[in-house]
Amino acid sequence: MARWRKQRPLICFASQSKGSVTDLYRLLGVSASSSKADIRAAYISKIKVMHPDVSADDDATEDAVALNAAYTALMEQHVDYDEEDDLLDVFDISEAEPDLLFINPFGCQMDPLLWRELQDYAQSAPDSRLLEDHLLAAGLSMTSSAIAWLTPAQLLTVQKELERMEEQLSFETTAWWLSDVLMRARVTNSRMSRAGANRW
């Protein structure tokens, strides 16, 4: 408790919006060179502890307001040098239930340009528990990581990349990119409930 009290002036300072940018970074526990993803992750970590609904501290509301103000200010002024990193944040921080099916065409023995047809065929499976059998019945041989459950933002990002692949015929790059982001999505989405995945 004593350590927390030592931080009170900084929190009050930030909540009055008079703190320097350095104070805002210090309040969130990140450096000025942190990416938006780092800032967002630090905010989520701290708000889970400081939120008035979970904190027994009498000043929890004031602290949460200060944290929100610092987070908002930093996110509005922060510029990532690589804007594509922001698009890829959806694979590191899940915004919704991962209940949308995606089959990686590079994880199946098929022409990757037929990725739309593959998604449509997978959606026609009568039950998500029979999905792998459904795909094998169509003669598709696949790796164990070909099936993924994604959030809406993740699926949209993947679809845009596959459309870019169609235009540029960049198969090797797209295969590597998909492998990377689907692995990151699995790690992120495994933290969320899978209840929605068996909605069929």
Side-chain angles (χ1 to χ4, degrees), residues 76-161:
E76 286 176 357
Q77 72 184 20
H78 191 79
V79 176
D80 276 338
Y81 293 103
D82 186 358
E83 288 184 15
E84 194 165 308
D85 284 345
D86 283 345
L87 294 175
L88 299 181
D89 282 352
V90 299
F91 297 102
D92 297 320
I93 300 173
S94 193
E95 91 292 353
E97 189 71 30
D99 62 354
L100 299 174
L101 175 64
F102 175 75
I103 309 296
N104 182 355
F106 293 99
C108 300
Q109 298 298 321
M110 63 169 294
D111 181 351
L113 291 174
L114 298 174
W115 66 272
R116 284 187 182 88
E117 291 82 356
L118 175 62
Q119 306 314 309
D120 291 341
Y121 183 75
Q123 290 292 334
S124 71
D127 186 319
S128 63
R129 293 170 297 211
L130 304 174
L131 179 60
E132 195 168 338
D133 293 336
H134 182 68
L135 294 170
L136 291 173
L140 290 172
S141 155
M142 64 187 148
T143 63
S144 60
S145 60
I147 300 172
W149 295 96
L150 303 177
T151 67
Q154 291 168 345
L155 184 60
L156 181 62
T157 305
V158 165
Q159 288 171 336
K160 286 182 179 178
E161 182 63 26

Side-chain angles (χ1 to χ4, degrees), residues 106 112 165 169-178:
F106 293 99
M165 172 200 69
L169 299 178
S170 54
F171 300 115
E172 188 174 320
T173 303
T174 304
W176 177 86
W177 182 88
L178 265 179

